[in-house]
Amino acid sequence: VLRVPDQHDKRHKRVYLTHQGKCVQQALYACAHQTLEKACEGIEQQELNACRKVLIKMFHNLNTPEISFKRN
């Protein structure tokens, strides 16, 4: 990455990917795509959609300030 001072506010830094960073990013995207394809083999789209909905609900549940843990 390349850090460059902001022209208008020197307290801030702009962060940019270098050419090498962009190459690494492309390779990582390709790897992530292949991994996702492998992970989803044999799973119907409806199943993936249902799983995604449940995970989103769980994420929202955990991001509410009312979380309390019950003791058994």
Side-chain angles (χ1 to χ4, degrees):
V1 294
L2 180 66
R3 293 177 64 203
V4 179
D6 187 288
Q7 292 179 354
H8 303 289
D9 188 343
K10 299 297 181 193
R11 297 173 297 175
H12 296 275
K13 302 281 189 224
R14 301 283 178 186
V15 179
Y16 301 97
L17 275 179
T18 61
H19 174 72
Q20 183 180 3
K22 289 179 183 178
C23 292
V24 171
Q25 179 186 36
Q26 289 174 349
L28 290 174
Y29 279 151
C31 182
H33 182 72
Q34 289 174 350
T35 302
L36 185 59
E37 282 185 351
K38 180 68 177 170
C40 293
E41 282 180 5
I43 303 172
E44 298 292 327
Q45 189 61 47
Q46 284 180 316
E47 294 174 299
L48 291 171
N49 292 343
C51 180
R52 189 172 291 120
K53 282 179 69 173
V54 170
L55 290 172
I56 288 170
K57 286 180 182 182
M58 291 170 71
F59 176 80
H60 287 295
N61 289 344
L62 293 174
N63 282 311
T64 58
E66 307 89 41
I67 293 177
S68 62
F69 295 95
K70 296 179 183 175
R71 293 184 183 186
N72 291 334

